[in-house]
Amino acid sequence: MPVIVLEARDFTSPLFLVRTLEVFSSCTAFSLVASLEHKNSNSSSDPSSDTFRIFCMFTWCFFFVITLLIHIISIIQFHSLIPISWKNLTMTVALLGVLMSLSSTVVFPWIVMDHGTVSPRALAATVASGLTFMAYVSESCVLRTQAHEQRGYISTLPGFLKIIQLWGGLKMIPLMVIISNLTTGVLWQFWISCVSYGICIFISLVILVVILGDFAGRCLLPFDRFLAAFSLIGVLLYMLATVICLTKILQLSETQSNLNHLNVVIMETVVSSVTLLAYTVDLAFSIKLLCDRRHM
């Protein structure tokens, strides 16, 4: 199949412009943060600063690379030769980029940036991260306005819930790293939470691979039952993790422990609650779909 290059008018299309902005702004964000001296970080007063700095840098670098690849492949019209559901891949990157960029835009100025001596580069990196977030929001809207046959499963509400579930699991990784350094004494709560989050991340990645690879027809079980079972597992595990989080908040409040530890646990509780809500709504959609198919 020959490779077809876009026409001149395609270089001024909304999709081309927003992806160009995503590449430029994410590159600007991680370049500015990488150029900051260590003294401009907040690591001296907040030990979680380094972990969140790595999280922000990973987010900007990863989405810069993946968006640049998508941008290039779209320009040279090479996506038809790739054995991946292109409409689901682009929407997945856009929606996950929205959530991850939003997280970095909030976390970097709040925790990583030193509020005592604010650097102009740090402020510029925050603005660039905010532009990245808005660019991914714009791309998501542009992709949603495409014709129905050009939109995949990820463009639907259940598909968006799958992205929220994956985002919640990925957001737990730096939080668990920080909590592991702050936790003392009984560790069973920490390990139960880690196992719960790890299983849910694995489930989310499996579902994403099945959707992107169009493997739904090759599953041993019908795909709708497959999704319902995984949603139920996610609800149970995140219910357990959320209860543990609330218990830890009460314990830390009574003992008046490290304020930083309490703040991180509160962040974990918020992310866990949002992800639990996504799993619960997704389970409701899956059950409704199963019931509708039985009555057909």
Side-chain angles (χ1 to χ4, degrees):
M1 181 177 179
V3 175
I4 303 173
V5 180
L6 291 176
E7 298 179 3
R9 69 174 183 272
D10 294 322
F11 289 93
T12 58
S13 66
L15 198 56
F16 180 89
L17 294 177
V18 294
R19 283 176 179 165
T20 302
L21 178 59
E22 290 164 5
V23 171
F24 175 76
S25 56
S26 58
C27 179
T28 302
F30 75 73
S31 299
L32 288 171
V33 175
S35 66
L36 289 174
E37 297 180 4
H38 186 69
K39 65 181 180 180
N40 288 328
S41 68
N42 197 26
S43 57
S44 58
S45 60
D46 186 358
S48 64
S49 175
D50 287 338
T51 302
F52 280 120
R53 180 188 176 112
I54 294 172
F55 169 78
C56 293
M57 288 290 288
F58 171 80
T59 298
W60 295 323
C61 292
F62 174 79
F63 283 97
F64 165 74
V65 173
I66 193 68
T67 304
L68 181 61
L69 289 175
I70 290 176
H71 206 19
I72 294 173
I73 292 173
S74 297
I75 291 174
I76 64 176
Q77 297 282 318
F78 194 68
H79 54 83
S80 59
L81 303 179
I82 301 177
I84 294 177
S85 176
W86 184 254
K87 54 189 177 183
N88 282 316
L89 175 63
T90 52
M91 196 64 179
T92 297
V93 173
L95 292 177
L96 192 58
V98 169
L99 297 174
M100 295 292 283
S101 298
L102 177 61
S103 299
S104 298
T105 304
V106 173
V107 166
F108 182 77
W110 178 27
I111 298 177
V112 180
M113 195 166 64
D114 186 2
H115 299 160
T117 55
V118 178
S119 169
R121 293 184 181 181
L123 289 175
T126 304
V127 173
S129 182
L131 288 176
T132 305
F133 162 70
M134 291 191 296
Y136 279 112
V137 171
S138 301
E139 182 184 1
S140 302
C141 295
V142 171
L143 292 175
R144 285 277 300 171
T145 58
Q146 290 181 339
H148 182 72
E149 60 272 8
Q150 294 179 327
R151 289 182 286 169
Y153 175 80
I154 299 298
S155 298
T156 64
L157 181 56
F160 180 52
L161 293 173
K162 301 291 189 302
I163 302 301
I164 296 179
Q165 294 162 13
L166 179 59
W167 165 80
L170 295 176
K171 190 77 171 100
M172 286 301 177
I173 296 177
L175 292 175
M176 289 297 99
V177 172
I178 296 170
I179 292 175
S180 67
N181 296 324
L182 297 174
T183 302
T184 56
V186 180
L187 296 176
W188 65 268
Q189 294 177 332
F190 170 75
W191 286 113
I192 290 178
S193 298
C194 285
V195 171
S196 300
Y197 299 143
I199 293 174
C200 291
I201 292 175
F202 176 75
I203 289 174
S204 296
L205 291 176
V206 169
I207 293 175
L208 192 60
V209 169
V210 172
I211 294 173
L212 296 182
D214 283 332
F215 298 138
R218 304 180 187 178
C219 295
L220 298 178
L221 291 175
F223 190 56
D224 50 357
R225 295 183 182 180
F226 176 80
L227 293 179
F230 276 0
S231 297
L232 178 59
I233 294 173
V235 168
L236 296 176
L237 290 178
Y238 266 96
M239 284 181 61
L240 177 61
T242 303
V243 170
I244 291 176
C245 289
L246 295 174
T247 303
K248 288 192 293 186
I249 290 176
L250 294 176
Q251 292 174 344
L252 292 172
S253 300
E254 291 176 356
T255 58
Q256 296 182 349
S257 289
N258 188 350
L259 180 61
N260 183 47
H261 191 182
L262 179 60
N263 290 336
V264 174
V265 174
I266 292 175
M267 291 176 62
E268 180 191 356
T269 307
V270 172
V271 176
S272 179
S273 300
V274 172
T275 312
L276 174 60
L277 179 61
Y279 272 108
T280 304
V281 177
D282 192 22
L283 178 61
F285 271 107
S286 298
I287 294 175
K288 182 178 182 300
L289 179 61
L290 290 174
C291 293
D292 291 342
R293 291 193 176 182
R294 283 187 179 180
H295 293 296
M296 288 179 62

